[in-house]
Amino acid sequence: MASATYLSNPVVTVATVDLTDMCSAATVTSLIEALEDTAFGTGSRTYTAGLANNEITLTFYASYAASETYATLQPLVGNKTTIDVQPASGAESATNPKFTLTDCYLESLPVINASLGALSTFDVTFTGGVLTIDTTP
């Protein structure tokens, strides 16, 4: 049985700032809302595609230094931005597509998430916007 796998090492750019070295997890979700279009006399529910509601969730290490996570993300709360996530460094291709979420919205930012003896991390979720997939080098 053929399979293709890759070692997770994505490239993450938030509002043109490369935060790859501060990111430990990335999830890009393409979602099209389901609208029910079931008619009378139908024996089961049916659906049709509605609006896209894409999202990207990123886990960052907390850093308050200039050009790091807090300094980059804090001004984005309540605003739209663009996020790029690519599975690995290198040129875009069919096996290394770049996912770009344009005009996505950051609703909240956990400013401190601390535990004794652990590296501080926080999750941020960017919602909405237009998801494009670039496979051209």
Side-chain angles (χ1 to χ4, degrees):
M1 174 174 17
S3 67
T5 59
Y6 71 97
L7 180 61
S8 180
N9 193 19
V11 176
V12 177
T13 306
V14 176
T16 71
V17 178
D18 186 348
L19 292 178
T20 301
D21 64 335
M22 297 302 293
C23 189
S24 64
T27 303
V28 178
T29 304
S30 174
L31 176 103
I32 305 295
E33 294 172 347
L35 300 177
E36 185 173 351
D37 63 356
T38 308
F40 291 130
T42 305
S44 60
R45 295 189 184 279
T46 60
Y47 297 89
T48 191
L51 294 173
N53 191 10
N54 305 299
E55 73 177 32
I56 294 179
T57 300
L58 304 168
T59 301
F60 288 109
Y61 293 108
S63 174
Y64 303 93
S67 298
E68 291 289 351
T69 52
Y70 181 76
T72 300
L73 298 172
Q74 191 281 327
L76 300 178
V77 177
N79 292 297
K80 295 179 183 180
T81 192
T82 298
I83 310 295
D84 293 316
V85 178
Q86 193 173 351
S89 61
E92 294 87 21
S93 68
T95 58
N96 191 31
K98 179 167 70 172
F99 299 90
T100 300
L101 192 55
T102 306
D103 286 336
C104 55
Y105 181 77
L106 181 60
E107 181 177 15
S108 66
L109 175 65
V111 294
I112 295 179
N113 181 22
S115 297
L116 183 64
L119 289 174
S120 182
T121 64
F122 53 85
D123 294 333
V124 293
T125 300
F126 297 87
T127 57
V130 177
L131 181 64
T132 56
I133 303 166
D134 186 4
T135 59
T136 57

